[in-house]
Amino acid sequence: IPARELVPDDLILLHSGDTVPADARLIASTGLALDESVLTGESVPIQKSGGTDERAFAGTAVVAGHAEAVVSAIGAQTEFGQIAELTGLAEGKQTHLQRHLGRLARQLGVAALGIAFSIGALGILSGRDVTEMMMTALSLSVAIVPEGLPAVVTITLALGAAAMVRQRALVRRLQAVETLGAASVICTDKTGTLTENKMTATHIWTLDRAYEVTGTGYDPAGHIEAEGQRIRAADDPGLRALLEVGLVCTHARLTHRGADWAMSGAPTEGALVTLGFKGWHPMPRENAVIAEVPFNSERKLMSVIYQGDDEARMLTKGAPEAVLDRATKRFNPSGDRPLTGEDRERIRAAYVAMAEDGMRVIALARRSSDGHDIEERDLSFLGLVGLIDPPRAEVRSAIAAAQSAGIRVLMITGDSPITAQTIAGQVGLPTGATLTGSELEAMDDASLTRLLREDVIFARARPADKMRIVTALQADHQIVAMTGDGVNDAPALKRADIGVAMGIRGTDVAREASDLVLLDDNFATIVAAIGEGRRQFTNIRKFVRYLLSSNAGEIVALVINITIGGPLIFLATQILWMNLVTDGVTAVALGLERAEPDHMENPPREKDTPVLDRWGLGVICLMGLYSGTACYWIFTQHLPGGAELARTTAFTAMVSFEKISVFAFRSLHLPCWRIGWLSNPLLLCALVSTMGAQAAAVYWPPLQVLLHTVPIGLEQWTMIAIFALPILIIPEVVKTARIFWQRRAA
């Protein structure tokens, strides 16, 4: 029947490959193993014995065995449903950019109304025409507000989202990328994000020698070596016997699909099969397994009777303690020898050492069989295999890049503390305190906040633990990016300032709760996304300053003009032309500036860093004061030739000043020679096109009628060029001097 029709107390049958349709109590099972990573983050399948306390959870996958179970919970009452409810309790959040652009809009609105009213009232009180002053006040309010800002921000974020897709990250909310650029803490899962989520055999230990294994994942491209020499099964009888157990005593299969290798079955068994391929062991005979004793969580063993070319053999693999309890001999090419007490101590010491290195250790053994005796006894010990989910090759450098950018990385995993510490050491994370979910639950909020300021790793973490960690970091004024893939991660993903879900192995619930989806499930992509987010916020600050400095020049020119008297320097249509046509195109091109060379060498900006700070306001005032004053002086110099000529020249001068000033805003602290004069070809195209549009406004009759302009000559253009040069040169000189001073101080 369809899963939606299940009700409590229904009996369900589970087989390998099934997804568990509801929370259920197991009543009988054979070799059952469940992948519960979507709920717990545990990377290794969980063996279920079918005891009275054993449960299977909705949404988990059966990777081995079969079972009968009774439905105990459906819908919202399942573990899956409770986590979904917890996700719903997490409030939606406004991004940093939304908050600060909203604040800037309110400030500009108040400024526009205040200045327009003040100037209009001043003009009327000084005896000017009321209608003229009302039009002037409206022109001033238009001049103050950067009308193109919402469009420029949206276009910049959209183009940034397209750039993110090319870097294998899908943006679900445009404003979120800018928030990621401000992230001061990345809370990351381990399995599949820092690691490959593919169990790999890395170490083999026998009583005679130890072997190292190269390569990762289920691609058998690596090899086995000992004492620096490559070893194959044909060269070493002990290795050959051990690899045979891994290849035969399994339900996993390795298949070659095009350029990739695919594994079906339990990850641990898949790693042992891959190991056999790396050792060039001959493939087992077809249909040669004549009996099987399935894995049982009480015995912790799996055995098969295999009919080899010469004899039938029992091949066994399992937990080292269980295998050692049933072993009485040790393998020897010339004949098995008794397993001494000293041998047992050496095996235990090797097992403990491998486990302390974060490995999952499997012991392998065998004995001769008559083909009918399936009792696991009198085994001959072959060796130990250490397996681990290896870290991704690029993660270490990505974490180093994040740390150099002042971003802390916190590992929060459902795996064991030992495994978490091992992976942390391998990828370059500081291995300080390691806290489990139960220890975290016993800790008060103040203690947790203090702990989060130090180096810490969280293991055996539950969904509520992740939510609590994110909330504590946010309360400590941190901007938190949270990664996750499972249902258990969804509440924390939604609560974080930016949630980052895995695209390949992530669940639909996790992706829906996230702001960003990694299409390659790679931590390095997060760091690249942070760089893109920083670039976007910096570029938004650039074009906000650029637009406001342009508007400030128009305001200064209008204020001087109204205060002194005479014809209006700009008409309303000319102001709209400058703000909507010429400025907008240039600002969009400015929003596409490449990341500055040192953008990932600086610490994250403070949480309350505004889009426009005091320094930026000062730059806007200086640029506006110069361009407005220069424009008004040019206007007065041409008044004897007629108001239309003077107004057209001033109008063209202001457009030219605004276009030239864009070079001062290409970087907020680096000169153009440092970032490259030609590094933004779109900006150069925008400058050419907008100046071409201005030329059309001056010389093309239809636009002359619309904008009330007249043609200007070489004399006017020369004067405009002379006054534009300082806008280009002075910022370059100041920034260059600043670099020289910093280098000298260093």
Short mmCIF file of all heavy atoms in Angstrom, two decimals, residues 477-504:
data_model
loop_
_atom_site.label_atom_id
_atom_site.label_comp_id
_atom_site.label_asym_id
_atom_site.label_seq_id
_atom_site.Cartn_x
_atom_site.Cartn_y
_atom_site.Cartn_z
N HIS A 477 27.14 38.16 18.77
CA HIS A 477 27.39 39.11 17.68
C HIS A 477 28.23 38.53 16.54
O HIS A 477 29.01 39.23 15.91
CB HIS A 477 28.05 40.39 18.21
CG HIS A 477 27.31 41.02 19.35
ND1 HIS A 477 26.08 41.62 19.20
CD2 HIS A 477 27.61 41.11 20.68
CE1 HIS A 477 25.66 42.06 20.38
NE2 HIS A 477 26.56 41.76 21.29
N GLN A 478 28.05 37.23 16.28
CA GLN A 478 28.72 36.60 15.15
C GLN A 478 27.73 36.44 14.00
O GLN A 478 26.54 36.27 14.20
CB GLN A 478 29.25 35.21 15.55
CG GLN A 478 30.19 35.21 16.72
CD GLN A 478 31.51 35.90 16.42
OE1 GLN A 478 32.04 35.78 15.32
NE2 GLN A 478 32.05 36.62 17.39
N ILE A 479 28.24 36.52 12.77
CA ILE A 479 27.44 36.22 11.59
C ILE A 479 27.76 34.78 11.20
O ILE A 479 28.90 34.45 10.88
CB ILE A 479 27.75 37.19 10.44
CG1 ILE A 479 27.33 38.61 10.84
CG2 ILE A 479 27.00 36.78 9.17
CD1 ILE A 479 27.60 39.66 9.78
N VAL A 480 26.75 33.91 11.26
CA VAL A 480 26.97 32.47 11.21
C VAL A 480 26.51 31.89 9.88
O VAL A 480 25.37 32.10 9.46
CB VAL A 480 26.22 31.77 12.37
CG1 VAL A 480 26.52 30.27 12.37
CG2 VAL A 480 26.61 32.39 13.71
N ALA A 481 27.40 31.14 9.24
CA ALA A 481 27.05 30.31 8.09
C ALA A 481 27.01 28.87 8.57
O ALA A 481 27.95 28.40 9.22
CB ALA A 481 28.06 30.47 6.97
N MET A 482 25.94 28.17 8.26
CA MET A 482 25.75 26.80 8.74
C MET A 482 25.59 25.87 7.54
O MET A 482 24.78 26.13 6.66
CB MET A 482 24.49 26.72 9.62
CG MET A 482 24.12 25.32 10.05
SD MET A 482 25.20 24.71 11.37
CE MET A 482 24.81 22.96 11.33
N THR A 483 26.39 24.80 7.50
CA THR A 483 26.26 23.83 6.42
C THR A 483 25.54 22.59 6.93
O THR A 483 25.60 22.26 8.12
CB THR A 483 27.63 23.42 5.86
OG1 THR A 483 28.29 22.56 6.80
CG2 THR A 483 28.49 24.63 5.58
N GLY A 484 24.87 21.89 6.03
CA GLY A 484 24.20 20.67 6.42
C GLY A 484 23.60 19.97 5.21
O GLY A 484 23.47 20.56 4.14
N ASP A 485 23.23 18.71 5.42
CA ASP A 485 22.66 17.94 4.31
C ASP A 485 21.42 17.16 4.73
O ASP A 485 20.58 16.84 3.90
CB ASP A 485 23.70 16.97 3.75
CG ASP A 485 24.15 15.96 4.80
OD1 ASP A 485 24.00 16.24 5.99
OD2 ASP A 485 24.67 14.89 4.42
N GLY A 486 21.30 16.85 6.00
CA GLY A 486 20.23 15.97 6.43
C GLY A 486 19.03 16.71 6.96
O GLY A 486 19.03 17.93 7.14
N VAL A 487 17.99 15.95 7.21
CA VAL A 487 16.80 16.49 7.84
C VAL A 487 17.16 17.10 9.19
O VAL A 487 16.62 18.12 9.62
CB VAL A 487 15.74 15.38 8.02
CG1 VAL A 487 14.51 15.90 8.74
CG2 VAL A 487 15.36 14.79 6.67
N ASN A 488 18.12 16.46 9.87
CA ASN A 488 18.53 16.94 11.20
C ASN A 488 19.18 18.31 11.16
O ASN A 488 19.25 19.01 12.17
CB ASN A 488 19.50 15.94 11.85
CG ASN A 488 20.77 15.77 11.04
OD1 ASN A 488 20.74 15.76 9.81
ND2 ASN A 488 21.88 15.62 11.71
N ASP A 489 19.65 18.74 9.99
CA ASP A 489 20.32 20.03 9.88
C ASP A 489 19.36 21.17 9.55
O ASP A 489 19.74 22.34 9.65
CB ASP A 489 21.40 19.97 8.79
CG ASP A 489 22.49 18.97 9.10
OD1 ASP A 489 22.91 18.92 10.27
OD2 ASP A 489 22.93 18.25 8.19
N ALA A 490 18.13 20.86 9.12
CA ALA A 490 17.23 21.88 8.61
C ALA A 490 16.94 23.01 9.60
O ALA A 490 16.97 24.19 9.23
CB ALA A 490 15.93 21.24 8.13
N PRO A 491 16.62 22.73 10.90
CA PRO A 491 16.36 23.84 11.82
C PRO A 491 17.53 24.80 11.94
O PRO A 491 17.35 26.02 11.94
CB PRO A 491 16.08 23.12 13.15
CG PRO A 491 15.62 21.76 12.77
CD PRO A 491 16.42 21.42 11.54
N ALA A 492 18.75 24.27 12.04
CA ALA A 492 19.93 25.13 12.18
C ALA A 492 20.19 25.90 10.89
O ALA A 492 20.63 27.05 10.91
CB ALA A 492 21.15 24.30 12.57
N LEU A 493 19.93 25.27 9.74
CA LEU A 493 20.11 25.95 8.45
C LEU A 493 19.21 27.18 8.36
O LEU A 493 19.60 28.23 7.87
CB LEU A 493 19.83 25.00 7.29
CG LEU A 493 20.83 23.89 7.03
CD1 LEU A 493 20.32 22.94 5.96
CD2 LEU A 493 22.18 24.46 6.60
N LYS A 494 17.98 27.01 8.81
CA LYS A 494 17.03 28.13 8.74
C LYS A 494 17.35 29.19 9.77
O LYS A 494 17.14 30.38 9.53
CB LYS A 494 15.61 27.60 8.94
CG LYS A 494 14.54 28.63 8.61
CD LYS A 494 13.16 28.01 8.59
CE LYS A 494 12.10 29.04 8.22
NZ LYS A 494 10.74 28.46 8.21
N ARG A 495 17.86 28.79 10.91
CA ARG A 495 18.15 29.74 11.99
C ARG A 495 19.41 30.56 11.68
O ARG A 495 19.49 31.73 12.04
CB ARG A 495 18.35 28.97 13.29
CG ARG A 495 18.81 29.82 14.46
CD ARG A 495 17.70 30.70 14.98
NE ARG A 495 18.17 31.63 15.98
CZ ARG A 495 17.36 32.36 16.74
NH1 ARG A 495 16.06 32.25 16.61
NH2 ARG A 495 17.86 33.20 17.63
N ALA A 496 20.39 29.96 11.03
CA ALA A 496 21.66 30.64 10.76
C ALA A 496 21.45 31.87 9.89
O ALA A 496 20.44 32.00 9.19
CB ALA A 496 22.63 29.67 10.10
N ASP A 497 22.43 32.79 9.93
CA ASP A 497 22.36 33.97 9.06
C ASP A 497 22.35 33.56 7.60
O ASP A 497 21.71 34.21 6.77
CB ASP A 497 23.55 34.90 9.35
CG ASP A 497 23.48 35.48 10.75
OD1 ASP A 497 22.64 36.37 10.96
OD2 ASP A 497 24.24 35.03 11.62
N ILE A 498 23.07 32.49 7.29
CA ILE A 498 22.98 31.92 5.95
C ILE A 498 23.13 30.42 6.05
O ILE A 498 24.10 29.90 6.62
CB ILE A 498 24.04 32.53 4.98
CG1 ILE A 498 23.89 31.92 3.60
CG2 ILE A 498 25.45 32.35 5.51
CD1 ILE A 498 24.57 32.73 2.52
N GLY A 499 22.13 29.70 5.54
CA GLY A 499 22.16 28.24 5.54
C GLY A 499 22.69 27.72 4.22
O GLY A 499 22.29 28.18 3.15
N VAL A 500 23.63 26.78 4.32
CA VAL A 500 24.28 26.22 3.12
C VAL A 500 23.99 24.72 3.08
O VAL A 500 24.45 23.97 3.94
CB VAL A 500 25.80 26.48 3.16
CG1 VAL A 500 26.45 25.95 1.88
CG2 VAL A 500 26.11 27.96 3.33
N ALA A 501 23.22 24.28 2.10
CA ALA A 501 22.84 22.88 1.98
C ALA A 501 23.66 22.19 0.91
O ALA A 501 24.20 22.82 -0.01
CB ALA A 501 21.35 22.75 1.67
N MET A 502 23.76 20.86 1.04
CA MET A 502 24.48 20.06 0.06
C MET A 502 23.54 19.71 -1.10
O MET A 502 22.41 19.27 -0.88
CB MET A 502 25.01 18.77 0.69
CG MET A 502 25.90 18.99 1.91
SD MET A 502 27.40 19.92 1.53
CE MET A 502 27.09 21.44 2.44
N GLY A 503 24.01 19.88 -2.32
CA GLY A 503 23.16 19.64 -3.48
C GLY A 503 23.14 18.19 -3.93
O GLY A 503 22.13 17.72 -4.46
N ILE A 504 24.23 17.46 -3.73
CA ILE A 504 24.31 16.08 -4.22
C ILE A 504 23.62 15.13 -3.25
O ILE A 504 22.73 14.37 -3.62
CB ILE A 504 25.77 15.67 -4.45
CG1 ILE A 504 26.41 16.53 -5.55
CG2 ILE A 504 25.86 14.18 -4.82
CD1 ILE A 504 27.88 16.26 -5.77
#
